């Protein structure tokens, strides 16, 4: 025959076991959170060239050095508009890097770069005028993966590569 005292004892033991289980989960959750944070920091700590290579399979030459970047509001997964300017010394390598096509940038719309520039303006970031792509003649390469896209515009005359990336 059960008594009230035994029922209270069983409930107390059950509560004690539940608390122990919950306390065991806390270190596991902390370790998981630290691992996710480490992975995000490591991903964001990679160089712009490494990020472009990993996302798009485009390996920029070592002579390309990023001199400017404007990055819109992005999530921990790296989604959002990005604008980068590289100075590239080896124009012969750059010409052979991709299957470029010639383009005359008369407006930002005809170069398909307006969404990135507009996205950055919307995020209340002004692009430094010195690094805003000048209108003119460029070698152009575009690539799209699902809804994400990258546009590379290279000016042999300037020795600059302008990279417009939208990751969705």
């Amino acid at each position: 025959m059960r008594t009230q005292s035994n029922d209270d004892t069983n409930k107390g033991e059950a509560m004690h076991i539940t608390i122990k289980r919950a306390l065991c989960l806390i270190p596991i959750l902390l370790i998981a959170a630290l691992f996710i944070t480490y992975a995000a920091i490591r991903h964001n700590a990679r160089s712009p060239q490494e990020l472009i290579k990993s996302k798009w399979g485009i390996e920029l030459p070592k002579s390309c050095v990023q001199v400017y970047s404007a990055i819109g509001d992005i999530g921990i997964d790296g989604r959002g508009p990005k604008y980068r300017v590289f100075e590239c010394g080896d124009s012969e390598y750059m010409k052979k890097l991709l299957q470029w096509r010639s383009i005359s940038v008369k407006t930002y719309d005809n170069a398909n770069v307006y969404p990135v520039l507009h996205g950055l303006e919307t995020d209340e970031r002004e692009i430094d005028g010195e690094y805003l792509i000048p209108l003119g003649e460029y070698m152009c390469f575009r690539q799209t993966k699902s809804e994400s896209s990258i546009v590379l515009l290279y000016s042999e005359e300037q020795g600059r590569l302008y990279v417009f990336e939208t990751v969705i």
Side-chain angles (χ1 to χ4, degrees):
M1 181 171 174
R2 289 183 140 174
T3 64
Q4 181 68 26
S5 169
N6 283 344
D7 285 344
D8 289 342
T9 303
N10 288 341
K11 286 181 184 176
E13 286 177 15
M15 181 63 94
H16 184 66
I17 291 171
T18 303
I19 290 172
K20 275 187 174 180
R21 286 182 182 162
L23 289 175
C24 288
L25 284 176
I26 290 174
I28 293 169
L29 293 173
L30 284 174
I31 290 169
L34 288 173
F35 177 75
I36 291 169
T37 302
Y38 171 77
I41 289 171
R42 182 152 168 86
H43 174 76
N44 291 331
R46 294 188 294 171
S47 73
Q49 291 90 332
E50 290 173 323
L51 293 172
I52 290 171
K53 182 179 178 185
S54 69
K55 174 69 179 171
W56 302 102
I58 300 170
E59 188 168 358
L60 298 178
K62 294 187 188 319
S63 64
C64 283
V65 177
Q66 180 175 294
V67 293
Y68 181 79
S69 72
I71 298 176
D73 288 336
I74 59 172
I76 196 165
D77 57 359
R79 297 173 189 265
K82 299 172 185 77
Y83 172 66
R84 295 185 170 103
V85 179
F86 294 86
E87 289 190 351
C88 302
D90 189 355
S91 65
E92 289 306 312
Y93 183 87
M94 289 301 294
K95 288 179 188 177
K96 297 174 187 173
L97 177 67
L98 300 164
Q99 292 183 344
W100 301 100
R101 66 181 185 87
S102 294
I103 184 172
S104 179
V105 178
K106 295 177 182 166
T107 68
Y108 295 126
D109 269 342
N110 83 322
N112 279 354
V113 298
Y114 180 76
V116 172
L117 295 176
H118 180 69
L120 294 170
E121 287 174 8
T122 303
D123 292 338
E124 298 179 2
R125 286 170 178 73
E126 267 189 46
I127 296 174
D128 186 336
E130 178 184 350
Y131 297 105
L132 186 60
I133 183 171
L135 302 178
E137 303 296 318
Y138 292 89
M139 295 188 320
C140 177
F141 178 81
R142 291 186 178 106
Q143 186 176 352
T144 302
K145 288 184 180 178
S146 64
E147 294 182 34
S148 300
S149 66
I150 189 168
V151 177
L152 287 85
L153 296 174
Y154 177 67
S155 168
E156 184 178 7
E157 180 184 316
Q158 300 168 24
R160 282 191 172 170
L161 175 68
Y162 299 88
V163 179
F164 301 84
E165 187 177 9
T166 303
V167 179
I168 297 175

